[in-house]
Amino acid sequence: MTAVILATACAAVYGTADFLGGLATRRAQVFAVVVLSQAAGLVLALALLPVLPGTPTLATLTWGAASGISGALAVLLFYRALATGVMSVVAPITATVSAVLPVLFGLAVGERPSPVALGGVVLALLAVLLVSRSSSEETSSGGYRSVLASVAAGAGFGGFFILLAQVPEGGGIWPLIGARVASVAAIGLLALAAGRTLRPAPGALTFILGAGILDMVANVLFMLAQQRGMLSLVGVLVSLYPASTLLLARQVLGERLNTVQVVGVGFTLGAVALIASG
């Protein structure tokens, strides 16, 4: 029960962080948003060392760094998709893909989900097809690119969950410190290579810092949850985060979906719920 509570809280915090990150990318370049938000998360992780002490072994830092690179690339793609697409479509697609991967990984290592969970995987694939359908004015190449970026981001987030779950016990907050150091370095180098500025646009810094801090809080909750429960369960519960993103997008931005997308979003959330219940 503790793992379920932690994972559910993690989902709520992730969704809020993604909403703030999406708002930030509509005001600033995505590289600046990702690097600065990840740096803010690193500062918080260092501040949490006295609360979550551990031993920084090579395995702990290596798995953490690998998960950090996967997560950073996912955030980069996800924020770009949020900036160019509809927030209440991008978030569920990303969540569905990130929910399916831990289940597939569990199957590969010997876990056997119930028929209900497998039914959720099938429903998730159908949901991606439905939620990707757009009205004629949204079927531009930009709309399709945001869908593809959402799928790739989901794969990156799923990889983050899987890789972080491989960290040996006793690492404390060190895996997340390793993850953040690697992610800031990797995305920072990409930004330099692409000639992109890391200076935030006016009015974006508050959203950037909020997204980074909340994202680290969510990462801590996920790490604690997966230490207390099965990855195939925790991973899909965490992937319920679009619920809070959708609520904020609807209330703050007034986003509306067409009928097919509404059905797709419903199937997406239903799929995640089925996978979790299995």
Side-chain angles (χ1 to χ4, degrees), residues 78 88-104 119-132 150-155 157-158 161 235-236 238-242 264-273 275:
F78 183 63
S88 38
V89 172
V90 169
I93 293 176
T94 304
T96 301
V97 177
S98 66
V100 169
L101 286 182
V103 174
L104 296 179
V121 172
V122 175
L123 187 60
L125 297 176
L126 177 60
V128 171
L129 294 177
L130 292 177
V131 82
S132 301
S150 302
V151 174
F157 285 130
F161 296 149
V236 291
V238 169
S239 295
L240 286 168
Y241 70 83
V265 170
F267 278 17
T268 298
L269 299 179
V272 175
I275 297 171

Side-chain angles (χ1 to χ4, degrees), residues 6 39 45 85 89 110 112 132 169 273:
L6 289 170
V89 172
R112 291 295 176 264
S132 301
E169 294 185 6

Side-chain angles (χ1 to χ4, degrees), residues 39-233:
L42 174 59
V43 172
L44 177 59
L46 292 172
L48 289 175
L49 266 175
V51 181
L52 296 170
T55 303
T57 64
L58 179 61
T60 294
L61 295 177
T62 300
W63 284 113
S67 68
I69 293 174
S70 178
L73 293 175
V75 170
L76 185 66
L77 290 166
F78 183 63
Y79 282 178
R80 185 177 294 277
L82 287 176
T84 59
V86 179
M87 186 176 292
S88 38
V89 172
V90 169
I93 293 176
T94 304
T96 301
V97 177
S98 66
V100 169
L101 286 182
V103 174
L104 296 179
F105 179 81
L107 286 172
V109 298
E111 293 181 1
R112 291 295 176 264
S114 70
V116 173
L118 293 177
V121 172
V122 175
L123 187 60
L125 297 176
L126 177 60
V128 171
L129 294 177
L130 292 177
V131 82
S132 301
R133 291 287 299 275
S134 302
S135 60
S136 58
E137 62 185 271
E138 294 173 337
T139 54
S140 64
S141 59
Y144 288 127
R145 282 196 298 269
S146 70
V147 169
L148 292 175
S150 302
V151 174
F157 285 130
F160 171 81
F161 296 149
I162 293 170
L163 292 168
L164 193 59
Q166 308 312 305
V167 174
E169 294 185 6
I173 195 70
W174 282 105
L176 294 179
I177 293 176
R180 278 297 177 268
V181 170
S183 63
V184 170
I187 302 303
L189 289 175
L190 284 176
L192 290 176
R196 302 297 177 84
T197 180
L198 298 181
R199 180 178 298 177
L205 186 58
T206 300
F207 295 115
I208 292 172
L209 295 179
I213 291 171
L214 289 178
D215 183 67
M216 177 53 67
V217 171
N219 288 341
V220 172
L221 290 172
F222 169 77
M223 187 176 65
L224 295 175
Q226 63 87 21
Q227 289 172 353
R228 292 162 174 78
M230 295 175 58
L231 175 63
S232 57
L233 173 61

Side-chain angles (χ1 to χ4, degrees), residues 19 245-256:
F19 178 77
T245 306
L246 292 173
L247 179 60
L248 288 169
R250 183 173 296 274
Q251 294 298 318
V252 178
L253 303 180
E255 289 191 356
R256 293 293 181 267

